[in-house]
Tab-separated table of all heavy atoms in Angstrom:
chain	number	residue	atom	x	y	z
A	89	ILE	N	99.228	114.759	66.449
A	89	ILE	CA	100.158	113.684	66.891
A	89	ILE	C	101.577	114.146	66.759
A	89	ILE	O	101.996	114.574	65.592
A	89	ILE	CB	99.960	112.480	65.802
A	89	ILE	CG1	98.459	111.911	65.900
A	89	ILE	CG2	100.828	111.363	66.173
A	89	ILE	CD1	98.174	110.813	64.999
A	90	ASP	N	102.334	114.166	67.768
A	90	ASP	CA	103.725	114.537	67.915
A	90	ASP	C	103.837	115.954	67.212
A	90	ASP	O	104.770	116.212	66.486
A	90	ASP	CB	104.578	113.531	67.144
A	90	ASP	CG	104.715	112.165	67.951
A	90	ASP	OD1	104.344	112.146	69.170
A	90	ASP	OD2	105.104	111.253	67.359
A	141	PRO	N	97.770	109.382	58.967
A	141	PRO	CA	99.057	108.995	58.468
A	141	PRO	C	99.289	107.545	58.581
A	141	PRO	O	98.777	106.758	59.364
A	141	PRO	CB	99.985	109.727	59.579
A	141	PRO	CG	99.077	109.935	60.851
A	141	PRO	CD	97.686	109.965	60.260
A	142	GLY	N	100.292	107.083	57.703
A	142	GLY	CA	100.699	105.737	57.773
A	142	GLY	C	100.015	104.784	56.710
A	142	GLY	O	98.812	104.928	56.505
A	143	ASN	N	100.763	103.857	56.169
A	143	ASN	CA	100.250	102.784	55.442
A	143	ASN	C	99.876	101.781	56.475
A	143	ASN	O	100.593	101.137	57.184
A	143	ASN	CB	101.169	102.187	54.567
A	143	ASN	CG	101.643	103.126	53.366
A	143	ASN	OD1	100.750	103.402	52.572
A	143	ASN	ND2	102.843	103.589	53.512
A	164	GLY	N	96.166	95.019	63.394
A	164	GLY	CA	96.668	96.062	62.472
A	164	GLY	C	98.062	96.585	62.785
A	164	GLY	O	98.259	96.534	63.915
A	165	VAL	N	98.773	97.106	61.858
A	165	VAL	CA	100.083	97.750	62.096
A	165	VAL	C	100.220	98.653	60.837
A	165	VAL	O	99.841	98.502	59.772
A	165	VAL	CB	101.112	96.627	62.065
A	165	VAL	CG1	101.327	96.004	60.681
A	165	VAL	CG2	102.340	97.382	62.498
A	166	SER	N	100.867	99.868	61.401
A	166	SER	CA	100.999	101.028	60.389
A	166	SER	C	102.482	101.274	60.402
A	166	SER	O	103.212	100.953	61.392
A	166	SER	CB	100.225	102.286	60.874
A	166	SER	OG	100.765	103.391	60.233
A	167	ASP	N	103.059	101.917	59.325
A	167	ASP	CA	104.545	102.291	59.191
A	167	ASP	C	104.638	103.695	59.715
A	167	ASP	O	105.834	104.100	59.686
A	167	ASP	CB	105.055	102.012	57.845
A	167	ASP	CG	104.350	102.886	56.834
A	167	ASP	OD1	103.311	103.588	57.165
A	167	ASP	OD2	104.567	102.725	55.598
A	168	LYS	N	103.652	104.286	60.194
A	168	LYS	CA	103.745	105.672	60.951
A	168	LYS	C	102.885	105.658	62.133
A	168	LYS	O	101.850	104.994	62.140
A	168	LYS	CB	103.402	106.750	60.000
A	168	LYS	CG	104.266	107.054	58.787
A	168	LYS	CD	103.866	108.286	57.989
A	168	LYS	CE	104.744	108.474	56.790
A	168	LYS	NZ	104.168	109.678	56.085
A	169	LYS	N	103.197	106.582	63.114
A	169	LYS	CA	102.307	106.579	64.223
A	169	LYS	C	100.962	107.209	63.796
A	169	LYS	O	100.969	108.187	63.040
A	169	LYS	CB	102.997	107.736	65.181
A	169	LYS	CG	102.470	107.715	66.687
A	169	LYS	CD	103.267	108.608	67.504
A	169	LYS	CE	102.743	108.393	68.919
A	169	LYS	NZ	103.623	109.201	69.826
A	170	THR	N	99.851	106.555	64.312
A	170	THR	CA	98.584	106.862	63.760
A	170	THR	C	97.464	106.485	64.676
A	170	THR	O	97.717	105.875	65.603
A	170	THR	CB	98.363	106.212	62.336
A	170	THR	OG1	97.340	106.714	61.716
A	170	THR	CG2	98.286	104.678	62.552
A	172	ILE	N	94.254	104.202	65.433
A	172	ILE	CA	93.500	103.034	65.019
A	172	ILE	C	92.573	102.650	66.113
A	172	ILE	O	92.860	102.406	67.247
A	172	ILE	CB	94.535	101.776	64.949
A	172	ILE	CG1	95.873	102.082	64.155
A	172	ILE	CG2	93.832	100.622	64.296
A	172	ILE	CD1	96.742	100.975	64.102
A	328	ILE	N	96.134	105.749	69.892
A	328	ILE	CA	97.230	106.207	68.905
A	328	ILE	C	98.425	105.126	69.018
A	328	ILE	O	98.745	104.858	70.218
A	328	ILE	CB	97.696	107.553	69.348
A	328	ILE	CG1	96.729	108.516	68.971
A	328	ILE	CG2	98.912	107.828	68.422
A	328	ILE	CD1	97.016	109.946	69.399
A	329	PHE	N	98.814	104.593	67.945
A	329	PHE	CA	99.752	103.531	67.944
A	329	PHE	C	101.073	103.842	67.131
A	329	PHE	O	100.908	104.586	66.104
A	329	PHE	CB	99.147	102.354	67.344
A	329	PHE	CG	98.038	101.657	68.192
A	329	PHE	CD1	96.733	102.157	68.175
A	329	PHE	CD2	98.324	100.624	69.040
A	329	PHE	CE1	95.761	101.748	69.023
A	329	PHE	CE2	97.279	100.109	69.841
A	329	PHE	CZ	96.018	100.689	69.879
A	330	ASP	N	102.186	103.600	67.728
A	330	ASP	CA	103.545	103.831	67.127
A	330	ASP	C	103.661	103.075	65.853
A	330	ASP	O	102.956	102.049	65.668
A	330	ASP	CB	104.673	103.531	68.073
A	330	ASP	CG	104.669	104.578	69.168
A	330	ASP	OD1	104.421	105.785	69.012
A	330	ASP	OD2	105.098	104.078	70.441
A	331	ALA	N	104.579	103.517	65.005
A	331	ALA	CA	104.867	102.829	63.800
A	331	ALA	C	105.387	101.310	64.329
A	331	ALA	O	106.242	101.349	65.133
A	331	ALA	CB	105.999	103.580	63.074
A	332	GLY	N	104.807	100.353	63.671
A	332	GLY	CA	105.235	99.009	63.987
A	332	GLY	C	104.557	98.441	65.124
A	332	GLY	O	104.675	97.168	65.438
A	333	GLU	N	103.834	99.235	65.935
A	333	GLU	CA	103.189	98.752	67.099
A	333	GLU	C	101.894	97.992	66.642
A	333	GLU	O	101.128	98.636	65.941
A	333	GLU	CB	102.831	99.847	68.105
A	333	GLU	CG	102.164	99.380	69.352
A	333	GLU	CD	101.792	100.568	70.290
A	333	GLU	OE1	102.013	101.814	69.955
A	333	GLU	OE2	101.185	100.283	71.408
A	334	VAL	N	101.681	96.851	67.240
A	334	VAL	CA	100.536	96.041	66.725
A	334	VAL	C	99.316	96.468	67.439
A	334	VAL	O	99.221	96.545	68.809
A	334	VAL	CB	100.634	94.572	66.892
A	334	VAL	CG1	99.471	93.707	66.474
A	334	VAL	CG2	101.959	94.174	66.041
Side-chain angles (χ1 to χ4, degrees):
I89 301 175
D90 290 344
N143 296 291
V165 66
S166 171
D167 58 5
K168 290 183 181 178
K169 194 171 186 177
T170 196
I172 314 175
I328 296 177
F329 292 79
D330 287 327
E333 182 182 2
V334 177

